[in-house]
Amino acid sequence: MRISVIGCGYLGAVHAAAMAKIGHDVVGIDVDRAKIGALSEGRAPFYEPGLDELLAEATESGRLRFSTDMADAADARLHFVAVGTPQAPGGNAADLTYVDAAVASLIPVLAEGSLVVGKSTVPVGTAARLAAWIADAAPGSALAWNPEFLREGFAVEDTISPDRLVYGLPDDPDAATEARGLLDEVYAAAVERGTPVVVSDYATAELVKTAANAFLATKISFINAMAEIAEATGADVTRLADAIGHDARIGRRFLNAGVGFGGGCLPKDIRAFTARAEELGRGDSVAFLKEVDAINLRRRQRLVDLVVEELGGSVYERNVAVLGLAFKPDSDDVRDSPALDVAVRLLGLGANVLATDPQAVANARLRHPQLFYVPSPRNALVDADAVVIVTEWREYRELDPIAVREMVRNPVVIDGRNCLDADAWRAAGWTYRGLGRP
Ligand code: UDX
C-alpha cells in the first residue's frame, strides 16, 4: 500500500522504516530539514538499536523515501500522523500544535477514499474533533485512531511485532468497515500471525494509550513508594519486588525501584491525563496520578541526598562521577531524564560533576551546556569522590568493582537503578548505597 508517515521523530521514523520493511511503499514527511536529510541518506537522526540497518535496507529496496514537502504524500492511501504531543509550556496539558498543524497541512492533499490514522498520544476527545474537521474540509476521507505502544530501545521490534493492535474507528458503520479493511491490510503480516486486534470507538482507543502509560507509571511509583518505606525500616525493596512479582497477578516487570521514570512519554502523559480529566470534571478519578508524579520526582532528590550524606554533608568541590544521562539504556533520549536531572542538581550544590553516557552526551549538552561532559566512564571515575549510576547501561552494570576501586579517590557508589551486585561491590571495599536497599 502507498502510505505516508507525518512526523519522523522517535515514533514516526521507526514506523516509516518498519512499514517499508513489511512491503509498503512509504514516504516519511517532516518539517525538520536536518532530520529528513539524515533519513534520506539512510541514517537515523537519533540512537535506536537496529534502526540504521532497517533504514538502509528499506531505502535500498526503493520503498522508503523522505521529504519535507507534504505534496509528496498526496498519492498515499493511508496517512499516519506520528508527530509529538509534548507538555504544553507553563501547564500540564498536552500541546496539540503539531497534531493540528499536521492535519491542516494534510487536508489539501487528501485524495478521495484516503484514511488518516492517528498514532500520536492525544487527550481523549481529540480524534472526534479531528474527524469532524476532516469530514468538513476533506469529505472523501476518514479518520482512525491507532495508538502506538513502542518502547524506545526496542522500537523496531515493537513496531514490526506489536503485542496488540488497537483500531479506534468512526461511528458510521460503512466508514468503520472501510477503515478496518485498510488497517488490516497495512498490518496484514501481524494480523495473520494472530496479533490481538482490539476494535473500538475513538475515545476508547485514545484512552487505551493514556491508561496503559498511567498504569505503567503507577506500577513504578508503587514500588518506589515501597522503597521509601524500606528505607525507613531496613527492608530491601529489590527482594520485596522479587517476592511480590512471583504472583502472576502482579508480575515482576516494571517493578524496578530506583531513581524513577522519565522520557518523552510517561511523565507528560500522566500530567496530560490529569489535565484532561479535570477538564472533563473527573479530576478526582485520576487524582492519584499527581501522587504518582510526586513520588517519582522525590526519588531524584533522595538520590542526591544520599550522595551528600555519603560525602559527609556536602558535595561542594567534590568530584562526582555521574554514569548515565539518558532516561533509560539503549536510548539517547534525555527528555525528562532523571539521570540528567540528578547531574544538574549535584552541580547546583557545587559538586564537580563529570557526566558521561554512551549515547546521550550530545543531547544532554544541548539542554545543559553548563555540565562538564566526558567521553568515557574512565574519564569520570579517575579521582572520583563518589560514583553515581543513574542509567543502567550494560557497560555500567558490568563495571568491575575491583578495577574501578583503583581509579577513584573515595570508594563510594550510589546505585540509582539498583542494578549492581551490592555484595560484590562491598567485598571490593566500596561503600554501596542503593535506593530502598539497606
Ligand atoms: C513507554 C511505554 O513503556 C511504551 O509502551 C509507550 O509507548 C511509551 O512510553 P518508554 O518511554 O520508551 O516507553 O520507556 P519505558 O521502558 O516505559 O521506561 C520509562 C521509564 O521508566 C524509564 O525512565 C525507565 O528507566 C523507568 N522504569 C521502567 C523504572 O524506573 N522502573 C521500571 O521497573 C521500569
Side-chain angles (χ1 to χ4, degrees), residues 148-152 209 213 216 220 224 253-257 260-266 327-329 338 392 417:
E148 184 56 57
F149 306 98
L150 64 82
R151 299 158 298 166
E152 288 176 32
K209 175 62 192 261
N213 277 356
L216 294 172
I220 300 168
N224 281 330
R253 294 176 74 191
F254 268 67
L255 276 188
N256 294 321
F261 59 80
C265 295
L266 262 43
F327 83 106
K328 68 186 234 184
E392 68 279 34
R417 291 292 180 182

Side-chain angles (χ1 to χ4, degrees), residues 10-257:
Y10 286 97
L11 166 60
V14 178
H15 194 68
M19 291 299 106
K21 182 178 168 74
I22 60 176
H24 301 299
D25 191 354
V26 185
V27 59
I29 310 273
D30 201 291
V31 292
D32 184 333
R33 287 183 184 283
K35 212 178 262 179
I36 291 301
L39 287 165
S40 300
E41 289 166 14
R43 272 187 298 118
F46 49 85
Y47 178 73
E48 179 62 44
L51 181 56
D52 275 327
E53 294 80 351
L54 185 64
L55 281 169
E57 185 191 327
T59 316
E60 254 168 49
S61 73
R63 288 196 303 268
L64 178 63
R65 61 211 164 85
F66 292 93
S67 169
T68 53
D69 186 357
M70 191 63 89
D72 288 326
D75 57 359
R77 184 84 198 275
L78 202 146
H79 304 271
F80 285 106
V81 175
V83 294
T85 51
Q87 189 170 341
N92 278 336
D95 180 355
L96 294 177
T97 313
Y98 305 105
V99 171
D100 288 354
V103 173
S105 54
L106 199 47
I107 280 174
V109 307
L110 286 177
E112 183 79 24
S114 60
L115 181 69
V116 179
V117 181
K119 288 205 91 60
S120 307
T121 302
V122 292
V124 56
T126 305
R129 176 174 66 78
L130 298 177
W133 183 10
I134 290 169
D136 186 47
S141 299
L143 178 82
W145 214 262
N146 169 225
E148 184 56 57
F149 306 98
L150 64 82
R151 299 158 298 166
E152 288 176 32
F154 301 91
V156 171
E157 187 186 320
D158 286 351
T159 306
I160 292 175
S161 309
D163 52 10
R164 79 284 213 191
L165 289 162
V166 177
Y167 301 168
L169 300 179
D171 286 340
D172 174 71
D174 292 339
T177 306
E178 172 91 15
R180 167 141 203 190
L182 283 171
L183 288 167
D184 278 343
E185 193 180 330
V186 87
Y187 293 123
V191 173
E192 277 159 25
R193 273 198 308 273
T195 307
V197 178
V198 180
V199 175
S200 73
D201 51 83
Y202 293 144
T204 306
E206 292 167 309
L207 273 174
V208 167
K209 175 62 192 261
T210 317
N213 277 356
F215 191 88
L216 294 172
T218 303
K219 203 169 175 192
I220 300 168
S221 278
F222 174 82
I223 201 67
N224 281 330
M226 295 306 108
E228 293 184 335
I229 305 295
E231 281 157 11
T233 55
D236 184 338
V237 75
T238 58
R239 292 271 163 83
L240 172 84
D242 291 342
I244 64 173
H246 282 300
D247 183 333
R249 294 170 303 174
I250 296 174
R252 180 64 178 81
R253 294 176 74 191
F254 268 67
L255 276 188
N256 294 321

